[in-house]
Amino acid sequence: MESVIVAIDGPSGTGKSSTSKAVAAKLGLSYLDTGAQYRAITWWMLTNGVDTDDPAAVASAAGKPVIVSGTDPNHPTITVDGLDAAGPIRTQEVTSQVSAVSAVPEVRTLITGLQRSIAAAAAGGIVVEGRDIGTTVLPDADLKIFLTASPEARAARRSGEVKGSDVAATREALIKRDAADSSRKTSPLAKAGDAVEVDTTELTLQQVIECVVTLVEEKRAAG
Ligand code: DC
């Protein structure tokens, strides 16, 4: 089968990760979670005493951590300097600082380069999920999907994932992070002009997966 590159962008809580992983597994493609890479570099900054609110400090340290992503959709991994970072990158501390770190242009240049080399090395094709994949990282992707959902639906999904969190607080945090990710100068969260928008508010995860799989299969058949 032809190699295919699929870019899946959108804000958090739209089902991006679950959809991307399932689509990649179903179609035998590799999978890359680019948010995990931004979280990993943020975690490294926090554990190495870099002030994440100081863009100059973040920029000068950006090249130090070695971030490695495993791209098997059934077992995605992420390490920083050889250490398993899958757990620590999901803490509240990292989540609250990741927008600031990922807005620093030097960080984006490095991580974007890493993402492009991973996509180029994925022989059978890859599903890459993030915020700027269709617009900046892989503008020549074979298929671009932009997932959306109402803030209420997104907050409900996210608080379902995080034990003990309340929906109203999650909704506020989510809206704040989206605003920061959408308004930053360097490659903000945005829908590419040639992306297919899928509103997941009223859809089950299974329906979203089927919709994206169909879009990929149509693309492969056409091209
Ligand atoms: O998908 P996520 O919530 O794990 O992403 C964490 C943060 O990383 C998100 O708030 C913005 C940033 N990010 C980014 O700037 N560009 C990407 N391609 C992916 C994530």
Side-chain angles (χ1 to χ4, degrees):
M1 241 193 268
E2 288 272 308
S3 168
V4 66
I5 293 188
V6 182
I8 303 189
D9 290 301
S12 45
T14 51
K16 238 180 357 200
S17 290
S18 309
T19 303
S20 302
K21 255 185 283 190
V23 169
K26 211 163 182 168
L27 297 173
L29 304 173
S30 297
Y31 160 73
L32 178 62
D33 175 358
T34 64
Q37 297 175 312
Y38 286 103
R39 288 173 178 273
I41 197 166
T42 303
W43 175 60
W44 185 91
M45 298 280 167
L46 291 168
T47 51
N48 283 273
V50 178
D51 178 0
T52 49
D53 290 319
D54 177 355
V58 169
S60 66
K64 292 184 183 170
V66 177
I67 296 169
V68 177
S69 300
T71 58
D72 175 351
N74 294 308
H75 183 58
T77 57
I78 182 133
T79 63
V80 183
D81 296 340
L83 296 173
D84 180 6
I89 63 170
R90 304 289 163 194
T91 60
Q92 201 45 51
E93 193 188 14
V94 169
T95 302
S96 68
Q97 293 305 308
V98 64
S99 290
V101 171
S102 62
V104 175
E106 287 80 358
V107 168
R108 299 208 73 82
T109 302
L110 281 161
I111 301 281
T112 297
L114 186 59
Q115 291 159 358
R116 287 181 180 148
S117 61
I118 292 169
I126 190 165
V127 177
V128 184
E129 62 143 307
R131 303 288 192 291
D132 61 337
I133 309 307
T135 54
T136 307
V137 179
L138 301 167
D140 297 328
D142 300 296
L143 177 65
K144 301 178 186 178
I145 310 278
F146 195 80
L147 296 183
T148 61
S150 70
E152 288 69 26
R154 297 195 288 119
R157 287 173 193 167
R158 268 290 145 106
S159 31
E161 285 167 11
V162 185
K163 248 181 144 180
S165 64
D166 89 79
V167 179
T170 304
R171 183 178 182 277
E172 290 317 305
L174 221 140
I175 289 172
K176 205 172 143 200
R177 190 147 65 94
D178 288 348
D181 294 342
S182 304
S183 63
R184 66 168 175 245
K185 283 206 184 79
T186 313
S187 59
L189 161 66
K191 176 177 174 284
D194 53 352
V196 180
E197 185 167 331
V198 179
D199 184 343
T200 70
T201 308
E202 304 291 340
L203 302 178
T204 64
L205 175 61
Q206 212 47 47
Q207 288 172 320
V208 182
I209 294 165
E210 276 162 28
C211 168
V212 177
V213 165
T214 304
L215 288 167
V216 178
E217 283 171 342
E218 282 172 1
K219 203 70 191 177
R220 274 175 154 172

